[in-house]
Amino acid sequence: MFAQIDKIITAIDNAVWGLPLICLIMATGIFLTARLGLVQIRHLGKAFKFMFKDEEDGSGEVTSFGALCTALSATIGTGNITGVATAIALGGPGALFWMVIAAFFGMATKYAEGLLAIKYRTIDEEGHVLGGPFYYIENGMGKNWRWLAKIFAFFGAGVGLFGIGTFTQVNSIASAVKNFFDPNTENAVQMFGNTYSWATVITCIILTVCVGLVVIGGLKRIAKVSEIVVPFMAVLYVVFVLIIMITHITEIPAAIVTIVKSAFTGS
C-alpha cells in the first residue's frame, strides 16, 4: 500500500516540479521585485521593527511576533536543514548559490502573498480571522475561481501530510528515538501487519497528544506555543551554524569559490 502511495506521490512530484515551474516561480519573484521597487531591501528595516512591535493601527488574533514564529515553525529544520542538505547532495555546491538567489527574489513573492492574505481575509461569526491563499483566490479573483481555491486547499493539506509537514517530521523524530533507545528493535510489537519498536509507538503517541493539544486550541494556541518554541529553535540553529563556521573558518573562502564556480559549471 505504502509503495503504491509513494509511486503516486513521485509521479505527481515529477509532473509538477520541473524546469517550467521553477522558471515560473523565479520569473514571478523577479517581476514582483521590480514592480514593488525592491521592497525586500527598502522596507527590511521596517520588517525587523514590526517583528517584535505590533503596528498601532494593526488588528488580528495574534501578535506580529506570534505570526512570525508560527511561520518560522514550518521552515526551521525541514527547510533550512533537511532541504538545503538534500539540494546540495543532489545538485552539488552550486545549488547553494541558486538557493540564495531564489530566496532573495522569493522575499518579494512572500510579501505579496502576505499582503493578499491580509487584504482579503475574513472574520467568522465567532470573531476568528480566516485568511490564506484559498480566501484571496476566491475573494480577490471572484466566486468563479472558487474551484481553484478548493483545489489549492486540498493539495495544501496533502503537502502538509505527505510532503513538508507531519509525515517527514514525525518519521525523523520517531527514527531518532528508536535508534537511540532500541536500535536493534529488541522490544517490538506487531501492528497493522508490521513490526514496530515500542520506542517508536510511544514516541508517536506522545507526539499525537502534544500536537493535538496545540492544534485543537486554534490559531491563538499555535501562536503562543510557537512564541516559546521557535525562538529557542532559531537561537540553537544560529549558534550551531556559527560554531561550524568558526571551527572551519579557514575553509570558508575556498567553499565560497567552489559554490560560485559550481553554480555556472553544472557540477
Side-chain angles (χ1 to χ4, degrees), residues 1-247:
M1 175 183 176
F2 291 107
Q4 288 296 112
I5 294 175
D6 185 61
K7 288 181 179 179
I8 294 172
I9 294 174
T10 301
I12 296 174
D13 181 72
N14 292 335
V16 174
W17 278 104
L19 186 60
L21 183 59
I22 293 174
C23 291
L24 179 61
I25 292 173
M26 284 292 291
T28 302
I30 293 171
F31 169 77
L32 289 172
T33 297
R35 185 69 178 82
L36 297 172
L38 290 172
V39 66
Q40 60 267 62
I41 294 178
R42 291 190 302 109
H43 294 288
L44 186 60
K46 186 184 294 184
F48 281 118
K49 174 184 176 182
F50 289 130
M51 276 171 52
F52 304 100
K53 178 184 177 183
D54 293 340
E55 294 182 76
E56 295 180 359
D57 58 344
S59 62
E61 282 195 272
V62 299
T63 63
S64 297
F65 185 66
L68 173 69
C69 290
T70 303
L72 287 178
S73 64
T75 58
I76 298 175
T78 306
N80 294 45
I81 300 175
T82 309
V84 172
T86 303
I88 293 174
L90 294 175
L96 187 59
F97 176 88
W98 294 112
M99 278 189 283
V100 172
I101 298 298
F104 174 77
F105 292 114
M107 290 170 70
T109 306
K110 194 67 177 178
Y111 168 82
E113 290 179 357
L115 176 66
L116 290 172
I118 294 173
K119 180 178 176 62
Y120 293 105
R121 65 184 179 180
T122 60
I123 300 178
D124 65 11
E125 296 177 353
E126 299 178 356
H128 297 303
V129 177
L130 306 174
F134 19 88
Y135 281 96
Y136 63 70
I137 288 174
E138 179 180 345
N139 298 334
M141 298 173 65
K143 299 294 183 181
N144 292 333
W145 292 92
R146 180 179 292 178
W147 61 271
L148 183 60
K150 291 181 178 179
I151 291 176
F152 189 100
F154 173 79
F155 283 110
V159 168
L161 287 172
F162 302 110
I164 62 175
T166 53
F167 275 24
T168 305
Q169 294 167 347
V170 170
N171 180 69
S172 299
I173 295 171
S175 297
V177 173
K178 175 189 175 299
N179 291 335
F180 184 82
F181 289 103
D182 190 16
N184 300 319
T185 317
E186 295 176 355
N187 303 299
V189 61
Q190 290 287 334
M191 297 177 65
F192 309 111
N194 293 297
T195 302
Y196 296 97
S197 168
W198 271 110
T200 301
V201 175
I202 294 172
T203 300
C204 291
I205 291 174
I206 293 173
L207 283 173
T208 301
V209 173
C210 291
V211 173
L213 290 174
V214 174
V215 174
I216 292 173
L219 182 59
K220 288 185 178 180
R221 186 177 296 175
I222 294 173
K224 286 182 179 179
V225 174
S226 297
E227 286 180 5
I228 299 173
V229 176
V230 171
F232 171 76
M233 292 168 55
V235 170
L236 198 66
Y237 176 80
V238 172
V239 167
F240 275 112
V241 169
L242 289 175
I243 291 173
I244 294 171
M245 292 179 68
I246 293 171
T247 54

